[in-house]
Amino acid sequence: MSIHIQLETGEAYEPGSEVRGRVSWQSLGRPPNSVPISLLWHTEGKGTEDVEIIEQERLETPAATGDHAFAFRLPDFPWSFSGTLISLVWAIEASLDPGGEVSRVNIVCAPGAEEVRL
């Protein structure tokens, strides 16, 4: 089993921009039940990790091998930032269910399409 995300529009964005790309997968044998594709942010660093899925598209009963185009609109907040103790990271994530194969591509969502440094 394998899954891959390819972004069409780069990896750094202004808030409100559209993130477009394709997800491709290959499942040997039985096809997956679904392929969820998510726009999310998560924190990294000290303390408990927070995760919030902003938008999700779920492909139900896909073929064993396939690809799918996606597009998500980034919200105005929160912005990507990197600090001494914690960072907020935006990502596009796709997985095969069941199977547990996951692909994640980190992106930046901030004014000027540059991560805020604290």
Side-chain angles (χ1 to χ4, degrees), residues 11-71:
E11 295 179 1
Y13 302 87
E14 293 268 346
S17 297
E18 186 176 66
V19 180
R20 293 186 314 271
R22 296 194 78 75
V23 173
S24 57
W25 64 91
Q26 183 174 7
S27 175
L28 303 174
R30 195 176 131 200
N33 294 335
S34 66
V35 178
I37 307 164
S38 304
L39 169 66
L40 59 93
W41 61 261
H42 63 96
T43 57
E44 297 177 347
K46 298 208 177 219
T48 305
E49 180 182 24
D50 290 321
V51 177
E52 185 170 339
I53 295 174
I54 302 301
E55 191 174 344
Q56 186 176 72
E57 183 177 337
R58 182 178 291 273
L59 308 176
E60 299 292 345
T61 61
T65 299
D67 67 71
H68 178 77
F70 64 85

Side-chain angles (χ1 to χ4, degrees), residues 73-85:
R73 176 87 41 202
L74 290 165
D76 291 332
F77 295 101
W79 297 343
S80 300
F81 69 84
S82 181
T84 305
L85 299 177

Side-chain angles (χ1 to χ4, degrees), residues 1 5 8 15 23-24 26 31 61 68 70 74-75 92 98 100 102 105 107-108:
M1 294 180 126
I5 299 169
E8 295 175 4
V23 173
S24 57
Q26 183 174 7
T61 61
H68 178 77
F70 64 85
L74 290 165
I92 303 293
V102 176
V105 175
I107 61 175
V108 170

